[in-house]
Amino acid sequence: MKLNKQKKIVIIILIVIALGALLTYNYVYKNHRNISSEVAVFSIGVTDLFQEFRKNPEASNLKYANKTIITYGVLSSLDLENRTIVLNEQLFLSGEKIEFEKLIEGQSYKFKGRFIGFDDLLEELKMDQCELVK
């Protein structure tokens, strides 16, 4: 009878450990966001967005950080090797779904992506997971 109680205790402990491991795994490895399917919270020009951050970086960061936004501006530089774009010399963005080869410097474009933040040192806005809005 004592052996059966010990087996039950061991089985219960193993179940608790397995559940704990499963919950920990699900907490640490959350599903990635699909920015393409999300509705943009804001639509704002690069220059206006930059001015907001220059005036009040803390409030602007709370407002835009980690949110899906649409922004537009003139393509000022394009790096095909690193797959990055700069709009209005103020917004640095990247994205796997962008067809970089079709973009032309000096043209206006609109992008949807996740806003990362404002780099005070470089005075540059940053976005990732971007895609071209047509």
Side-chain angles (χ1 to χ4, degrees), residues 44-63:
I44 186 170
V46 173
T47 305
D48 295 334
L49 185 62
F50 186 78
Q51 289 305 319
E52 279 192 47
F53 272 90
R54 293 287 302 229
K55 289 178 185 172
N56 192 342
E58 292 83 19
S60 298
N61 199 38
L62 287 172
K63 182 177 178 181

Side-chain angles (χ1 to χ4, degrees), residues 33-97:
R33 289 172 62 182
N34 185 357
I35 300 297
S36 297
S37 65
E38 290 184 18
V39 175
V41 180
F42 297 101
S43 181
I44 186 170
V46 173
T47 305
D48 295 334
L49 185 62
F50 186 78
Q51 289 305 319
E52 279 192 47
F53 272 90
R54 293 287 302 229
K55 289 178 185 172
N56 192 342
E58 292 83 19
S60 298
N61 199 38
L62 287 172
K63 182 177 178 181
Y64 295 107
N66 203 27
K67 300 232 174 37
T68 301
I69 69 169
I70 292 176
T71 189
Y72 44 89
V74 176
L75 182 71
S76 50
S77 74
L78 177 66
D79 184 350
L80 294 174
E81 187 176 320
N82 293 317
R83 302 188 60 78
T84 59
I85 296 170
V86 177
L87 292 181
N88 290 22
E89 297 180 6
Q90 298 168 326
L91 173 66
F92 176 87
L93 57 89
S94 64
E96 295 298 318
K97 297 181 180 182

